Amino acid sequence: AGSRGQSACALCLGHFLHDIKRCESRSLWDGASTHCRRAEDGCLINPQGLPICYKWQRPGSCQDQNHGSSHECS
């Protein structure tokens, strides 16, 4: 974190100090409902149970052509 502050949590979008790898909040930092939830294995999934893809944030972006049936890009 350093002088730049806390990283945002991918689930609740909060910047407050908490374990963002284990956050299971059902609401965002502002009280609105989250779009995703955490699966039993710890991965973030959408309301349909599909994993949330993080690859769009990577240098090569997400190259998967089956978004609707395999995952949802965040």
Side-chain angles (χ1 to χ4, degrees):
S3 62
R4 293 177 29 193
Q6 299 292 326
S7 296
C9 176
L11 182 58
C12 73
L13 306 180
H15 286 271
F16 57 93
L17 185 60
H18 69 295
D19 188 349
I20 61 175
K21 290 179 73 175
R22 292 184 174 81
C23 180
E24 294 189 14
S25 180
R26 293 291 186 168
S27 59
L28 300 177
W29 62 272
D30 64 357
S33 296
T34 60
H35 172 71
C36 305
R37 62 183 171 86
R38 204 163 290 281
E40 288 182 19
D41 65 1
C43 293
L44 292 179
I45 57 175
N46 71 10
Q48 292 75 37
L50 298 176
I52 300 297
C53 174
Y54 63 88
K55 291 180 184 176
W56 70 273
Q57 302 174 41
R58 315 268 308 154
S61 191
C62 179
Q63 304 298 316
D64 195 327
Q65 301 298 314
N66 299 315
H67 291 104
S69 62
S70 63
H71 70 273
E72 176 181 341
C73 282
S74 59

